[in-house]
Structures are given as structure tokens and as C-alpha cells.
Amino acid sequence: MSECLFCRIAAREIPSREVFSDERIYAFEDINPQAPVHVLVIPRKHVSRVSELAEEDALLAGEVLRRAAAIARERGLTDFRVVANDGAGAGQSVFHLHFHVLGGRPFSWPPG
């Protein structure tokens, strides 16, 4: 999807601060961090949102979450939050599946 911001970032058409990259996953620093550690982890395959994951995406979704946890460990986090917003009403502003890895400060519940 050439018009998708995150597809373009993963394709390196738009600069980002890369954290991880392989043939299926791309991770980069959030440009508006909400915590000392704030990394976005995305599949290179365009899926708009969590609720649009298909059966054939199950392995990919698991890989993305495992990578999110690995990034948290690499950043020295023992406590962290992984967030995926699904839809505009839930706070999703870019419609490409992405997981926020947040850490480095205390979090409260509910988040807002």
C-alpha cells in the first residue's frame, strides 16, 4: 500500500530510527514518545488493524509480539507495556497494524 505511512517507513521511503528489521517485521522509535522507551513494531505485510488479522496471519502476529518482547529485553526493561489500538475510537491514528512497546516509567491502570 504505497499511501500507507507505515508501509512507506518499512520500505525506507520515509526516514525512521530503526530498531529492528527483517523480511517480515520492522521496528522503529516512535516520533512522539510517551515513555523513555517507545518503539513501534509492525509487520511488513499491510494489515490495517488487529480486528482484520486473518487466520493465515496467526504466525506473523505471534512473531511481532515476540519481537516486541525481545526489544523490551534488549532495552533493559523487566516491566513494560505492549499496546495495540484497534480503530479511531480506541486511539488508532495510523491504519497499519502496530504494537507500541512502552517502558522506562511506571504505568497506571486504566490507561485512559
Side-chain angles (χ1 to χ4, degrees):
M1 297 200 82
S2 62
E3 68 277 358
C4 172
L5 175 64
F6 285 177
C7 285
R8 294 183 66 208
I9 288 172
R12 295 186 173 96
E13 295 172 10
I14 296 174
S16 68
R17 293 192 332 240
E18 180 181 307
V19 172
F20 177 83
S21 179
D22 70 11
E23 64 281 348
R24 294 171 52 89
I25 298 170
Y26 189 76
F28 57 100
E29 300 281 349
D30 193 293
I31 63 168
N32 185 26
Q34 301 300 302
V37 173
H38 190 168
V39 175
L40 300 177
V41 185
I42 67 171
R44 288 185 182 274
K45 175 185 177 183
H46 183 85
V47 176
S48 294
R49 50 202 281 182
V50 172
S51 59
E52 293 184 7
L53 284 164
E55 184 71 31
E56 71 250 15
D57 297 322
L59 182 60
L60 178 60
E63 289 175 18
V64 172
L65 285 171
R66 285 177 31 124
R67 178 50 52 192
I71 288 167
R73 282 192 306 274
E74 291 162 5
R75 297 293 172 103
L77 301 175
T78 55
D79 298 312
F80 59 95
R81 184 171 281 174
V82 176
V83 177
N85 302 315
D86 192 299
Q92 186 176 7
S93 59
V94 177
F95 284 82
H96 182 115
L97 177 65
H98 59 284
F99 293 89
H100 299 257
V101 178
L102 299 143
R105 68 169 174 86
F107 293 100
S108 60
W109 194 260

